Amino acid sequence: QLVESGGRSVQAGESLRLSCAADGATHRVYCMGWFRQAPGKERECVAAVTRTHTPYYADSVKGRFTISRVDSNTLWLSMHDLRPDDTATYFCAYRTETCESTMTGTAFFDFWGQGTQVTVS
């Protein structure tokens, strides 16, 4: 089970940190990632990290977001200088097979959280 937390409403320019824990995971967790989905848009990967801490960032968040793998099953997303177009539901996900940081499509990830809402105004 993936449990996300940290989403809330903020003003543009503020910061947030999202957290995700793969509680009770019975599989080995390889890549972990943060995705977001805004109304009417497809779910997109904003950041991902391999088991060896190699990161991936979408161009839209480079320099503003930082993904941190605290331990093998815990993930943070530190978001700075938030913008209104960052508004979305953010999902944590992980993959149970070996992976590379370039595997950022939703189909590569096996387990998903319920999402946490981030609203930037």
Side-chain angles (χ1 to χ4, degrees), residues 79-94:
M79 305 185 292
H80 303 287
D81 190 23
L82 283 161
R83 304 166 181 170
D85 59 4
D86 294 318
T87 295
T89 302
Y90 284 71
F91 298 89
C92 177
Y94 71 81

PDB file of all heavy atoms in Angstrom, residues 79-94:
ATOM      1  N   MET A  79       9.031  20.581  -3.464  1.00  0.00           N
ATOM      2  CA  MET A  79       8.593  21.450  -4.559  1.00  0.00           C
ATOM      3  C   MET A  79       8.769  22.907  -4.147  1.00  0.00           C
ATOM      4  O   MET A  79       8.250  23.323  -3.110  1.00  0.00           O
ATOM      5  CB  MET A  79       7.124  21.157  -4.890  1.00  0.00           C
ATOM      6  CG  MET A  79       6.859  19.700  -5.210  1.00  0.00           C
ATOM      7  SD  MET A  79       5.167  19.380  -5.745  1.00  0.00           S
ATOM      8  CE  MET A  79       4.294  19.710  -4.225  1.00  0.00           C
ATOM      9  N   HIS A  80       9.488  23.651  -4.954  1.00  0.00           N
ATOM     10  CA  HIS A  80       9.747  25.064  -4.668  1.00  0.00           C
ATOM     11  C   HIS A  80       9.234  25.920  -5.814  1.00  0.00           C
ATOM     12  O   HIS A  80       9.057  25.449  -6.939  1.00  0.00           O
ATOM     13  CB  HIS A  80      11.242  25.294  -4.457  1.00  0.00           C
ATOM     14  CG  HIS A  80      11.824  24.455  -3.371  1.00  0.00           C
ATOM     15  ND1 HIS A  80      11.582  24.700  -2.038  1.00  0.00           N
ATOM     16  CD2 HIS A  80      12.630  23.365  -3.428  1.00  0.00           C
ATOM     17  CE1 HIS A  80      12.222  23.802  -1.309  1.00  0.00           C
ATOM     18  NE2 HIS A  80      12.864  22.970  -2.121  1.00  0.00           N
ATOM     19  N   ASP A  81       9.035  27.204  -5.507  1.00  0.00           N
ATOM     20  CA  ASP A  81       8.576  28.156  -6.522  1.00  0.00           C
ATOM     21  C   ASP A  81       7.370  27.599  -7.283  1.00  0.00           C
ATOM     22  O   ASP A  81       7.342  27.578  -8.512  1.00  0.00           O
ATOM     23  CB  ASP A  81       9.718  28.477  -7.495  1.00  0.00           C
ATOM     24  CG  ASP A  81       9.397  29.626  -8.430  1.00  0.00           C
ATOM     25  OD1 ASP A  81       8.527  30.454  -8.077  1.00  0.00           O
ATOM     26  OD2 ASP A  81      10.000  29.672  -9.523  1.00  0.00           O
ATOM     27  N   LEU A  82       6.390  27.165  -6.519  1.00  0.00           N
ATOM     28  CA  LEU A  82       5.219  26.557  -7.136  1.00  0.00           C
ATOM     29  C   LEU A  82       4.453  27.554  -7.989  1.00  0.00           C
ATOM     30  O   LEU A  82       4.386  28.753  -7.677  1.00  0.00           O
ATOM     31  CB  LEU A  82       4.314  25.963  -6.058  1.00  0.00           C
ATOM     32  CG  LEU A  82       4.825  24.624  -5.496  1.00  0.00           C
ATOM     33  CD1 LEU A  82       4.191  24.314  -4.159  1.00  0.00           C
ATOM     34  CD2 LEU A  82       4.561  23.507  -6.489  1.00  0.00           C
ATOM     35  N   ARG A  83       3.899  27.030  -9.050  1.00  0.00           N
ATOM     36  CA  ARG A  83       3.169  27.846 -10.022  1.00  0.00           C
ATOM     37  C   ARG A  83       1.745  27.319 -10.164  1.00  0.00           C
ATOM     38  O   ARG A  83       1.490  26.146  -9.885  1.00  0.00           O
ATOM     39  CB  ARG A  83       3.859  27.753 -11.386  1.00  0.00           C
ATOM     40  CG  ARG A  83       5.319  28.145 -11.371  1.00  0.00           C
ATOM     41  CD  ARG A  83       6.010  27.717 -12.636  1.00  0.00           C
ATOM     42  NE  ARG A  83       7.427  28.066 -12.640  1.00  0.00           N
ATOM     43  CZ  ARG A  83       8.313  27.642 -13.547  1.00  0.00           C
ATOM     44  NH1 ARG A  83       7.914  26.852 -14.531  1.00  0.00           N
ATOM     45  NH2 ARG A  83       9.569  28.018 -13.470  1.00  0.00           N
ATOM     46  N   PRO A  84       0.826  28.145 -10.625  1.00  0.00           N
ATOM     47  CA  PRO A  84      -0.552  27.662 -10.801  1.00  0.00           C
ATOM     48  C   PRO A  84      -0.647  26.435 -11.703  1.00  0.00           C
ATOM     49  O   PRO A  84      -1.508  25.573 -11.470  1.00  0.00           O
ATOM     50  CB  PRO A  84      -1.255  28.878 -11.423  1.00  0.00           C
ATOM     51  CG  PRO A  84      -0.528  30.049 -10.851  1.00  0.00           C
ATOM     52  CD  PRO A  84       0.922  29.609 -10.793  1.00  0.00           C
ATOM     53  N   ASP A  85       0.238  26.315 -12.693  1.00  0.00           N
ATOM     54  CA  ASP A  85       0.154  25.142 -13.560  1.00  0.00           C
ATOM     55  C   ASP A  85       0.742  23.886 -12.921  1.00  0.00           C
ATOM     56  O   ASP A  85       0.757  22.823 -13.550  1.00  0.00           O
ATOM     57  CB  ASP A  85       0.764  25.398 -14.948  1.00  0.00           C
ATOM     58  CG  ASP A  85       2.211  25.798 -14.906  1.00  0.00           C
ATOM     59  OD1 ASP A  85       2.809  25.808 -13.802  1.00  0.00           O
ATOM     60  OD2 ASP A  85       2.776  26.097 -15.970  1.00  0.00           O
ATOM     61  N   ASP A  86       1.218  23.982 -11.697  1.00  0.00           N
ATOM     62  CA  ASP A  86       1.592  22.789 -10.920  1.00  0.00           C
ATOM     63  C   ASP A  86       0.377  22.178 -10.228  1.00  0.00           C
ATOM     64  O   ASP A  86       0.478  21.108  -9.622  1.00  0.00           O
ATOM     65  CB  ASP A  86       2.646  23.127  -9.868  1.00  0.00           C
ATOM     66  CG  ASP A  86       3.972  23.540 -10.479  1.00  0.00           C
ATOM     67  OD1 ASP A  86       4.402  22.903 -11.461  1.00  0.00           O
ATOM     68  OD2 ASP A  86       4.581  24.501  -9.957  1.00  0.00           O
ATOM     69  N   THR A  87      -0.743  22.863 -10.291  1.00  0.00           N
ATOM     70  CA  THR A  87      -1.961  22.362  -9.655  1.00  0.00           C
ATOM     71  C   THR A  87      -2.382  21.041 -10.282  1.00  0.00           C
ATOM     72  O   THR A  87      -2.534  20.931 -11.498  1.00  0.00           O
ATOM     73  CB  THR A  87      -3.106  23.390  -9.810  1.00  0.00           C
ATOM     74  OG1 THR A  87      -2.766  24.575  -9.094  1.00  0.00           O
ATOM     75  CG2 THR A  87      -4.411  22.831  -9.280  1.00  0.00           C
ATOM     76  N   ALA A  88      -2.529  20.025  -9.445  1.00  0.00           N
ATOM     77  CA  ALA A  88      -2.864  18.687  -9.924  1.00  0.00           C
ATOM     78  C   ALA A  88      -3.009  17.754  -8.721  1.00  0.00           C
ATOM     79  O   ALA A  88      -2.657  18.114  -7.598  1.00  0.00           O
ATOM     80  CB  ALA A  88      -1.778  18.147 -10.846  1.00  0.00           C
ATOM     81  N   THR A  89      -3.492  16.557  -9.005  1.00  0.00           N
ATOM     82  CA  THR A  89      -3.402  15.488  -8.021  1.00  0.00           C
ATOM     83  C   THR A  89      -2.077  14.785  -8.254  1.00  0.00           C
ATOM     84  O   THR A  89      -1.761  14.405  -9.387  1.00  0.00           O
ATOM     85  CB  THR A  89      -4.565  14.498  -8.175  1.00  0.00           C
ATOM     86  OG1 THR A  89      -5.804  15.202  -8.025  1.00  0.00           O
ATOM     87  CG2 THR A  89      -4.481  13.413  -7.120  1.00  0.00           C
ATOM     88  N   TYR A  90      -1.304  14.635  -7.197  1.00  0.00           N
ATOM     89  CA  TYR A  90       0.014  14.016  -7.288  1.00  0.00           C
ATOM     90  C   TYR A  90      -0.062  12.588  -6.753  1.00  0.00           C
ATOM     91  O   TYR A  90      -0.594  12.343  -5.670  1.00  0.00           O
ATOM     92  CB  TYR A  90       1.031  14.831  -6.486  1.00  0.00           C
ATOM     93  CG  TYR A  90       1.445  16.094  -7.216  1.00  0.00           C
ATOM     94  CD1 TYR A  90       0.563  17.156  -7.349  1.00  0.00           C
ATOM     95  CD2 TYR A  90       2.711  16.207  -7.784  1.00  0.00           C
ATOM     96  CE1 TYR A  90       0.923  18.311  -8.034  1.00  0.00           C
ATOM     97  CE2 TYR A  90       3.089  17.357  -8.470  1.00  0.00           C
ATOM     98  CZ  TYR A  90       2.183  18.396  -8.596  1.00  0.00           C
ATOM     99  OH  TYR A  90       2.544  19.534  -9.280  1.00  0.00           O
ATOM    100  N   PHE A  91       0.487  11.673  -7.548  1.00  0.00           N
ATOM    101  CA  PHE A  91       0.462  10.256  -7.221  1.00  0.00           C
ATOM    102  C   PHE A  91       1.889   9.735  -7.071  1.00  0.00           C
ATOM    103  O   PHE A  91       2.777  10.085  -7.848  1.00  0.00           O
ATOM    104  CB  PHE A  91      -0.211   9.460  -8.341  1.00  0.00           C
ATOM    105  CG  PHE A  91      -1.646   9.821  -8.586  1.00  0.00           C
ATOM    106  CD1 PHE A  91      -1.974  10.833  -9.474  1.00  0.00           C
ATOM    107  CD2 PHE A  91      -2.666   9.140  -7.940  1.00  0.00           C
ATOM    108  CE1 PHE A  91      -3.309  11.168  -9.713  1.00  0.00           C
ATOM    109  CE2 PHE A  91      -3.992   9.451  -8.172  1.00  0.00           C
ATOM    110  CZ  PHE A  91      -4.302  10.478  -9.059  1.00  0.00           C
ATOM    111  N   CYS A  92       2.050   8.867  -6.102  1.00  0.00           N
ATOM    112  CA  CYS A  92       3.294   8.141  -5.923  1.00  0.00           C
ATOM    113  C   CYS A  92       3.108   6.751  -6.528  1.00  0.00           C
ATOM    114  O   CYS A  92       1.998   6.182  -6.456  1.00  0.00           O
ATOM    115  CB  CYS A  92       3.595   8.048  -4.431  1.00  0.00           C
ATOM    116  SG  CYS A  92       5.060   7.116  -4.013  1.00  0.00           S
ATOM    117  N   ALA A  93       4.176   6.206  -7.093  1.00  0.00           N
ATOM    118  CA  ALA A  93       4.091   4.875  -7.691  1.00  0.00           C
ATOM    119  C   ALA A  93       5.447   4.190  -7.600  1.00  0.00           C
ATOM    120  O   ALA A  93       6.481   4.853  -7.476  1.00  0.00           O
ATOM    121  CB  ALA A  93       3.652   4.981  -9.148  1.00  0.00           C
ATOM    122  N   TYR A  94       5.417   2.873  -7.674  1.00  0.00           N
ATOM    123  CA  TYR A  94       6.695   2.157  -7.732  1.00  0.00           C
ATOM    124  C   TYR A  94       6.610   0.942  -8.648  1.00  0.00           C
ATOM    125  O   TYR A  94       5.540   0.452  -8.989  1.00  0.00           O
ATOM    126  CB  TYR A  94       7.196   1.784  -6.338  1.00  0.00           C
ATOM    127  CG  TYR A  94       6.461   0.690  -5.595  1.00  0.00           C
ATOM    128  CD1 TYR A  94       6.696  -0.660  -5.843  1.00  0.00           C
ATOM    129  CD2 TYR A  94       5.574   1.022  -4.571  1.00  0.00           C
ATOM    130  CE1 TYR A  94       6.052  -1.647  -5.120  1.00  0.00           C
ATOM    131  CE2 TYR A  94       4.935   0.041  -3.832  1.00  0.00           C
ATOM    132  CZ  TYR A  94       5.173  -1.289  -4.104  1.00  0.00           C
ATOM    133  OH  TYR A  94       4.541  -2.270  -3.383  1.00  0.00           O
TER     134      TYR A  94
END
